Amino acid sequence: MTLALFIEQLLNGIQFGVMLFLMAAGLTLVFGVMGLINLAHGSLYMIGAFLCATVALATGSFWLGLVASLAGAAAAGAIVEIVVIRRLYDRDHLDQVLATFALILIFSEGTRWVFGSFPLYLDIPAALQGAVSLPGGAQYPLYRLSIIVVGVLIAFGLYLLISRTRLGMRIRAGESDREMIGALGVDIRTLYTVVFALGAALAGLAGALVGAIQSVQVGMGEPVLILAFVVIVIGGIGSIKGALIGAILVGVVDTLGRILLPNFFELFMGPSQATSVGSALASMAIYILMAIILAVKPQGLFAAGSQ
């Protein structure tokens, strides 16, 4: 493998990790503050992608589509929290899993009914259609690099929000002692709605950004949701810093594993057998990573509340 190819795949892994972070950050906030297992988080990712694609196709502006994905996903999240999720806080986790799984089915069929079964496609905005030169002479898409930059900026913004603002103080207090902040006069219902809407907006943004790389279709959020759960388990439930580091680890290990492992096994196997064995192990790599980290640190890399 050449240096240029390695750097390209490393950047692909970081970009994939950043997308997972946008999903996992909202998921870990919701679980950390509200104690809710939300299987419908991937559906909000899908809604953001469809809203972005629809508005961009109607107006010709990717940027308007991006705004629509943020606003629409946040609104959908707030409505879901008020109408459905609010009734699940005092239930056990099994009831939460069943209810949010039902939401997956409702969102999937509703999206298919509104937008149809055929995939939609987003064009990369003209300002981001170029490429940048990498060491070794390779070219890397400017749009993918922009996703990495956006993810880093959002991570920094979340850090400032949670550590330096009154809302962040309430979120951290909600993670530690929900009953106490309610007794001190904080409107816990409004706080829950804001946190859920924030998580939904991040998921919708992730869906919109990825929609320009792959097709936008019904059910696109469920595979990403599984990886987002892996990320928050590795990083530590309730930790934004853990979500970022866990997401980058998962993205890089998954991407490089799919390239390096088949090449490694070719050293002592035939090409077809090496590809088969390497691909199988690559698909398991992130789960092996999760098992190793949990064996060493059962609560994940960062304990809950490490922002």
Side-chain angles (χ1 to χ4, degrees):
M1 175 181 289
T2 64
L3 176 63
L5 179 58
F6 177 79
I7 294 175
E8 180 181 357
Q9 294 305 319
L10 180 63
L11 287 173
N12 282 339
I14 294 172
Q15 178 261 305
F16 182 38
V18 164
M19 184 272 295
L20 289 177
F21 166 71
L22 294 177
M23 279 284 289
L27 201 59
T28 199
L29 273 178
V30 167
F31 188 85
V33 175
M34 300 153 67
L36 177 79
I37 298 176
N38 179 25
L39 295 186
H41 201 68
S43 297
L44 298 168
Y45 169 91
M46 176 185 68
I47 287 173
F50 268 98
L51 286 174
C52 183
T54 302
V55 172
L57 288 172
T59 64
S61 171
F62 174 83
W63 308 110
L64 286 178
L66 208 58
V67 172
S69 71
L70 277 167
I79 292 170
V80 165
E81 195 279 333
I82 292 169
V83 175
V84 179
I85 303 299
R86 190 168 285 182
R87 293 162 174 77
L88 300 175
Y89 296 133
D90 296 328
R91 303 290 190 91
D92 60 29
H93 288 323
L94 179 58
D95 290 341
Q96 295 172 359
V97 167
L98 291 174
T100 53
F101 180 75
L103 286 174
I104 293 177
L105 303 179
I106 292 169
F107 276 124
S108 293
E109 293 308 312
T111 303
R112 183 176 285 111
W113 180 66
V114 173
F115 297 101
S117 299
F118 296 101
L120 302 178
Y121 297 93
L122 264 170
D123 292 328
I124 295 174
L128 300 176
Q129 285 183 353
V132 296
S133 297
L134 299 177
Q139 299 288 309
Y140 193 75
L142 180 60
Y143 182 74
R144 287 180 179 268
L145 203 59
S146 300
I147 292 178
I148 296 174
V149 173
V150 168
V152 170
L153 291 176
I154 289 176
F156 183 67
L158 282 174
Y159 166 76
L160 293 179
L161 172 69
I162 292 174
S163 64
R164 303 293 176 87
T165 67
R166 183 175 295 275
L167 174 61
M169 180 181 65
R170 291 177 176 177
I171 290 174
R172 285 182 280 119
E175 290 179 341
S176 303
D177 195 334
R178 278 168 269 174
E179 290 77 13
M180 181 58 72
I181 64 169
L184 292 174
V186 174
D187 187 346
I188 196 70
R189 288 194 168 192
T190 301
L191 177 64
Y192 281 3
T193 302
V194 169
V195 169
F196 201 89
L198 174 61
L202 291 173
L205 176 62
L209 292 174
V210 172
I213 299 175
Q214 62 186 41
S215 61
V216 176
Q217 55 190 333
V218 175
M220 63 184 290
E222 279 65 64
V224 181
L225 178 68
I226 295 171
L227 296 177
F229 274 114
V230 172
V231 166
I232 65 172
V233 169
I234 288 175
I237 296 173
S239 171
I240 295 297
K241 179 169 61 176
L244 177 62
I245 294 175
I248 298 299
L249 280 174
V250 168
V252 170
V253 167
D254 183 71
T255 303
L256 291 183
R258 295 179 188 278
I259 298 296
L260 296 178
L261 286 176
N263 291 337
F264 171 73
F265 283 107
E266 279 187 11
L267 297 176
F268 44 87
M269 292 182 180
S272 60
Q273 189 178 8
T275 300
S276 176
V277 174
S279 299
L281 287 177
S283 65
M284 298 164 53
I286 58 173
Y287 303 104
I288 295 172
L289 172 68
M290 179 176 69
I292 293 172
I293 289 175
L294 291 181
V296 177
K297 301 195 71 172
Q299 292 185 336
L301 294 175
F302 298 91
S306 298
Q307 306 303 334

